[in-house]
Structure formats: structure tokens, C-alpha cells
Amino acid sequence: MKAIDIKGLTKTYGQRTVVNQLNLTIEEGEFFALLGSNGAGKTTTIKMLSCLLAPSSGQATILGYDLGQAEEKIKSQINLSPQETAVAPKLSVKENLLLIARLYGYSKKEAEEKAAEMMTTFDLTERQNDRAKALSGGIQRKLSIAMALISQPKILFLDEPTLGLDVRARHELWKTIEALKGKTTLILTTHYLEEAEALADRICIMNKGKIQILGSAQEIIKASGQKNFEEAFLAYTEEGELA
Ligand SMILES: Nc1ncnc2c1ncn2[C@@H]1O[C@H](COP(=O)(O)OP(=O)(O)OP(=O)(O)O)[C@@H](O)[C@H]1O
């Protein structure tokens, strides 16, 4: 089944079109990356697909449900790990996970089990009693992703999950994200080109609200005629060039 099917998705603010006639299909289980310069429309796209922002026009189905008509159904099957880490700073690692599990309607016992499972998967058990604010940025991000996965979403949107992390923490988080590959449909936005290149099955480069190219990193390099992915990205996001 298609995880996401978008036809002509558009968002305008006044006279400005920030997402312009997007057509895109993402298969279930795919790891998909959205790349683009600042203001390209990545976050706006993700917000529309996760029911946080109403499109101005166009259509999309998420797991077969129409966006704008089956919001509750869609929301129950997706989750978003936002740009800003969404942990409660004064709560411990375990308390953060329990809180989300209870919000999703798990019983006390189930919530305990879920939290324990997540802490094992994300290697957080040793830190379970530490307050979130005492964790490094990388571990906070890990916790944030673990929290987003508690509801077992079929689609997880990761909006710049490694923003501001140092190289080591970023690589650590990549391993965590990579382990999710195939189990959950993953839609990632990032400014780190090597992140998309290393993790994603397919990459979409956006510029000024439009898709410039879509394919695997190798396909994009080949189509651009450039030497490597960074140069291909620059070519596709440069005005008047390949774009
Ligand atoms: N509420 C709003 N009102 C007006 N313009 C907006 C609003 N939200 C976003 N925009 C504009 O839409 C454009 C796309 O923004 P968006 O955040 O989707 O880009 P992005 O690709 O995620 O960029 P970044 O990499 O900087 O996060 C930007 O020019 C932004 O200023």
C-alpha cells in the first residue's frame, strides 16, 4: 500500500506560494528524505501531511485516508518528531515515556511495559531516572524519537532530528534511526546531505516550494551530471541552473 500519495498539494500565505503543486508517492516501509535550502517548504509539507496545517489546495491520502476528511484516523497512525526536542525537561526519561504512553490510552501496566521496551530499544535504561534536562542534546533527541514511537505509528515524520548535534551524537542517532528502517515509513527532513545520502532509500530535493528532483542519491548524482551528491544538491537548488 502507498503510505502517502500527494497530488497538487499547495500552500499559500497571502500572495506567496510556499509549497507549489507537489506530486509525490511514498511507499509503505520506505525511508524518504526531503532536502532543500532554508525556506524551500519542507516543514510546511510535513506539517500538512501530519494534519497540523491545512493545505490551500491539492489532495493527499495518508495510508489510504483522505487528508482533510479523516484527520482522526490519520493522526492515530502517524507521528511527528518535531524540530525542537519535545521532552518535558523536569521529568525523568522514564516519566516522559510513561506520560506519552498514558496519553495514548495505555493502562498503567501497559505503559510501564511500553516505557521499558522503548528504553531497551533506544539504549536509555541506564538513564531512566535522570531528568530530561540533564541529558545531552543527542540523548534528548533519542528520547524524543522514542516518545514519538510509543504509539507505534505507521508513518514517522522526523523534522531535522540531528539539528545542532555534534558529529558523534549525529552518527549515534543515525544508528538509532537506521534500526527503524523497513519497520516504519520514515520521512526525514535534514540540512545534512550526508545524512540523507546515508539513510534514505529516496531523496526529494525541493526548492522554492517545488520538487526539483526525486530519486536515490546515485540517481540524483547521475541525472545532475555532477561529481558528488553535494554538488548535485547545489546544482538543483541554484537559480537558473538545473532547477
Ligand atoms: N505562517 C506563515 N506565514 C507566512 N509565511 C510562512 C509561514 N510559515 C512558513 N512561511 C514561509 O514559508 C516558506 C517555507 O517555510 P518552511 O519552514 O516550510 O521551509 P523549510 O524548507 O522547512 O526551511 P528550513 O530549512 O529553514 O526549516 C518560508 O519562506 C517561510 O518564511
Side-chain angles (χ1 to χ4, degrees):
M1 208 222 306
K2 289 184 179 72
I4 294 181
D5 194 11
I6 307 173
K7 287 195 181 74
L9 198 71
T10 299
K11 182 72 190 175
T12 52
Y13 289 109
Q15 300 292 321
R16 272 187 78 209
T17 302
V18 300
V19 173
N20 196 348
Q21 295 282 336
L22 227 58
N23 295 310
L24 188 63
T25 302
I26 300 172
E27 297 296 330
E28 251 187 302
E30 197 176 355
F31 193 143
F32 192 87
L34 265 181
L35 296 183
S37 321
N38 289 124
K42 305 178 294 293
T43 300
T44 305
T45 302
I46 278 195
K47 281 189 174 162
M48 288 193 281
L49 296 178
S50 51
C51 305
L52 293 173
L53 192 65
S56 306
S57 61
Q59 291 160 352
T61 58
I62 315 290
L63 298 161
Y65 297 110
D66 285 334
L67 198 68
Q69 281 174 30
E71 205 165 289
E72 288 311 312
K73 280 261 186 244
I74 294 172
K75 278 187 174 169
S76 70
Q77 301 202 41
I78 65 167
N79 216 333
L80 166 75
S81 179
Q83 256 175 37
E84 58 292 345
T85 309
V87 300
K90 288 188 181 168
L91 297 184
S92 71
V93 167
K94 187 175 171 186
E95 286 165 344
N96 265 290
L97 291 164
L98 288 176
L99 175 71
I100 298 294
R102 296 288 279 160
L103 281 177
Y104 275 103
Y106 289 104
S107 70
K108 236 176 165 176
K109 184 167 169 281
E110 286 166 342
E112 285 280 346
E113 286 165 6
K114 263 286 161 213
E117 181 193 322
M118 283 299 158
M119 289 191 292
T120 307
T121 308
F122 285 84
D123 208 12
L124 289 165
T125 312
E126 267 185 32
R127 310 295 305 267
Q128 63 179 298
N129 296 319
D130 293 349
R131 283 187 180 200
K133 67 178 178 188
L135 306 171
S136 67
I139 305 215
Q140 284 194 26
R141 288 280 164 150
K142 242 189 196 185
L143 174 59
S144 190
I145 295 174
M147 286 159 67
L149 282 169
I150 283 238
S151 61
Q152 295 179 296
K154 290 202 173 136
I155 303 177
L156 178 64
F157 295 95
L158 294 163
D159 199 4
E160 300 196 35
T162 61
L163 185 74
L165 300 185
D166 66 31
V167 175
R168 189 173 304 279
R170 196 179 315 146
H171 279 258
E172 282 288 314
L173 201 58
W174 285 5
K175 279 192 227 150
T176 306
I177 295 173
E178 205 157 23
L180 304 173
K181 218 170 160 166
K183 296 179 196 152
T184 309
T185 306
L186 294 162
I187 322 268
L188 165 89
T189 76
T190 182
H191 282 292
Y192 301 107
L193 303 182
E194 73 277 21
E195 184 164 305
E197 221 182 336
L199 298 173
D201 299 315
R202 279 193 308 155
I203 299 169
C204 168
I205 299 182
M206 286 181 75
N207 197 33
K208 297 187 177 162
K210 286 191 173 166
I211 295 176
Q212 302 301 331
I213 187 150
L214 186 64
S216 69
Q218 283 312 317
E219 285 164 355
I220 292 175
I221 295 169
K222 200 167 168 209
S224 72
Q226 303 292 320
K227 286 199 297 289
N228 54 44
F229 191 66
E230 189 167 325
E231 290 189 16
F233 175 84
L234 289 171
Y236 280 112
T237 50
E238 206 166 299
E239 270 174 71
E241 281 279 324
L242 296 174

